[in-house]
């Protein structure tokens, strides 16, 4: 009998290429993937953990996922509300198997699984398609609203800063009417690129609708975000945006609102305040930054 050793080699290489992941199935960060390397991963609400999840009921350091020999384990870190594996509360350390579901807090469920590099690429594409605007690459409105709500709850609970920056293109209808809709799309793509290059890694940039965009800034004051808005405003004004050989002059108007400077009871109030400041900027001449004021 002739044994095809090349087949065994391929199977072995395939097994070795598999990588352990945590995928967020439900909760504020739905769709995110966390690759589990040889180090421990702590999960919780603290800014110092490797996997930060802003969900009601999750402790600052809630649980950890770690490798021990060939196995991967989940361990509760004496969290207030417990860690659940496939619906059962764990008491100590439990080994994870492909497909296991981990529940933390009130809404977050993570799936433990093994993927190769092709699976990882596919999952990331699915994540981007569900949560990002296909044209600009910014997060979409649905994800933005959900994320703003969870960030607001966290900031209110810890009395920390959370500021929202809203901006849109001045006279965007005129751009479409004068240069055509493909030119308008080119303007939005360029504007998104400029915004991505202006924000911090921890900021969230989203397309709120049409030509209106938003930036969620955690842990900073309204004045600091106003400086960000002014920097972005100047960058847009001074940028050369072209389409089909024609230069399109563009400016933006910006509105900023935040807590704890303003007294807010909900994320929707914060959104309304930032949007009101944005339209105040438009009413007073456009191409400027306005800060929200107390009612």
């Amino acid at each position: 009998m002739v044994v095809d050793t090349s087949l065994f080699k391929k199977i072995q290489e395939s097994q070795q290429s598999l990588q352990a992941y945590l995928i967020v199935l439900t909760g504020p960060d739905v769709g995110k993937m966390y690759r589990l390397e040889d180090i421990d991963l702590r999960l919780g609400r603290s800014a110092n953990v490797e996997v930060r999840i802003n969900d009601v009921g999750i402790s600052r350091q809630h649980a950890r996922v770690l490798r021990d020999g060939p196995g991967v384990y989940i361990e509760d870190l004496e969290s207030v509300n417990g860690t659940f594996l496939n619906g059962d509360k764990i008491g100590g350390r439990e080994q994870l198997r492909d497909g296991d579901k981990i529940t933390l807090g009130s809404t977050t469920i993570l799936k433990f699984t093994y993927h190769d590099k092709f699976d990882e690429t596919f999952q990331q594409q699915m994540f981007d398609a569900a949560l990002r605007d296909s044209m600009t690459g910014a997060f979409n409105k649905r994800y933005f609203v959900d994320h703003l709500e969870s960030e607001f709850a966290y900031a209110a609970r810890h009395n920390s800063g959370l500021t929202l920056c809203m901006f849109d293109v001045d006279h965007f209808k005129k751009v479409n009417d004068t240069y055509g809709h493909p030119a308008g799309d080119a303007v939005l793509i360029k504007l998104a690129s400029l915004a991505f290059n202006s924000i911090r890694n921890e900021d969230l940039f989203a397309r709120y609708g049409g030509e209106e965009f938003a930036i969620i800034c955690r842990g900073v004051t309204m004045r600091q975000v106003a400086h960000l808005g002014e920097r972005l405003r100047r960058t847009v004004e001074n940028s050369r945006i072209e389409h089909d050989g024609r230069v399109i002059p563009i400016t933006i108007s910006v509105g900023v609102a935040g807590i704890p400077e303003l007294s807010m009871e909900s994320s929707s109030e914060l959104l309304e305040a930032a949007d009101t400041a944005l339209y105040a900027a438009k009413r007073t001449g456009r191409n400027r930054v306005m800060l929200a004021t107390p009612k």
Side-chain angles (χ1 to χ4, degrees):
M1 178 179 178
V2 178
V3 178
D4 185 356
T5 57
S6 64
L7 178 59
F8 287 108
K9 184 177 180 181
K10 288 180 181 179
I11 294 174
Q12 186 180 40
E13 289 175 348
S14 175
Q15 291 174 336
Q16 290 173 346
S17 68
L18 292 177
Q19 176 67 50
Y21 291 87
L22 287 178
I23 302 174
V24 183
L25 298 181
T26 64
D29 295 321
V30 60
K32 277 193 176 181
M33 295 179 65
Y34 298 97
R35 186 172 181 173
L36 303 178
E37 305 288 356
D38 292 332
I39 60 173
D40 294 354
L41 282 182
R42 294 168 299 163
L43 295 75
R45 288 188 293 102
S46 171
N48 298 321
V49 300
E50 289 75 28
V51 179
R52 185 180 183 189
I53 305 173
N54 289 331
D55 187 4
V56 176
I58 291 183
S59 300
R60 291 178 60 80
Q61 295 197 29
H62 194 103
R64 66 193 287 229
V65 175
L66 66 153
R67 285 189 177 275
D68 189 354
V72 180
Y73 296 81
I74 178 78
E75 180 181 333
D76 185 75
L77 296 179
E78 299 182 353
S79 63
V80 174
N81 296 313
T83 300
F84 295 80
L85 180 61
N86 299 322
D88 297 323
K89 188 174 183 180
I90 65 173
R93 180 183 295 187
E94 296 285 345
Q95 185 170 2
L96 293 171
R97 292 172 175 79
D98 193 18
D100 279 349
K101 308 296 192 307
I102 302 166
T103 302
L104 308 173
S106 60
T107 63
T108 297
I109 300 176
L110 305 101
K111 178 182 178 181
F112 173 77
T113 187
Y114 288 95
H115 283 326
D116 60 23
K117 61 181 180 180
F118 301 109
D119 291 325
E120 178 182 6
T121 301
F122 175 75
Q123 287 287 340
Q124 190 61 52
Q125 289 173 343
M126 292 293 289
F127 169 65
D128 290 342
L131 303 182
R132 290 188 182 272
D133 172 55
S134 59
M135 184 173 70
T136 64
F139 284 105
N140 60 30
K141 181 178 180 179
R142 178 182 175 183
Y143 183 78
F144 160 75
V145 171
D146 289 344
H147 193 80
L148 180 63
E149 184 175 352
S150 64
E151 287 285 357
F152 186 92
Y154 180 88
R157 186 165 55 246
H158 295 275
N159 195 32
S160 58
L162 179 69
T163 304
L164 179 60
C165 175
M166 304 285 291
F167 63 92
D168 73 2
V169 181
D170 295 326
H171 301 297
F172 187 67
K173 184 179 183 301
K174 185 178 179 180
V175 172
N176 283 328
D177 292 344
T178 303
Y179 301 96
H181 287 278
D185 290 346
V187 167
L188 298 180
I189 292 170
K190 179 63 175 180
L191 180 57
S193 176
L194 294 175
F196 274 122
N197 290 330
S198 300
I199 63 177
R200 307 171 300 168
N201 290 336
E202 58 265 42
D203 297 333
L204 183 137
F205 173 57
R207 185 180 181 187
Y208 187 67
E211 70 275 22
E212 190 170 359
F213 295 87
I215 304 172
I216 301 174
C217 302
R218 175 196 298 162
V220 290
T221 66
M222 285 178 58
R223 289 291 178 184
Q224 289 172 316
V225 176
H227 288 309
L228 164 65
E230 176 61 24
R231 186 169 67 250
L232 180 59
R233 185 201 65 77
R234 289 197 306 266
T235 299
V236 172
E237 184 180 33
N238 296 327
S239 293
R240 184 180 178 88
I241 302 177
E242 295 186 36
H243 181 74
D244 283 346
R246 305 171 72 184
V247 177
I248 307 173
I250 293 297
T251 61
I252 61 172
S253 296
V254 184
V256 176
I259 57 174
E261 293 96 331
L262 300 176
S263 178
M264 303 281 179
E265 297 295 328
S266 66
S267 59
S268 60
E269 287 187 22
L270 179 61
L271 178 58
E272 180 183 359
D275 217 34
T276 299
L278 165 60
Y279 283 96
K282 288 188 170 297
R283 286 196 307 271
T284 54
R286 295 183 170 83
N287 192 24
R288 63 192 60 202
V289 178
M290 294 288 288
L291 274 68
T293 57
K295 292 183 179 180

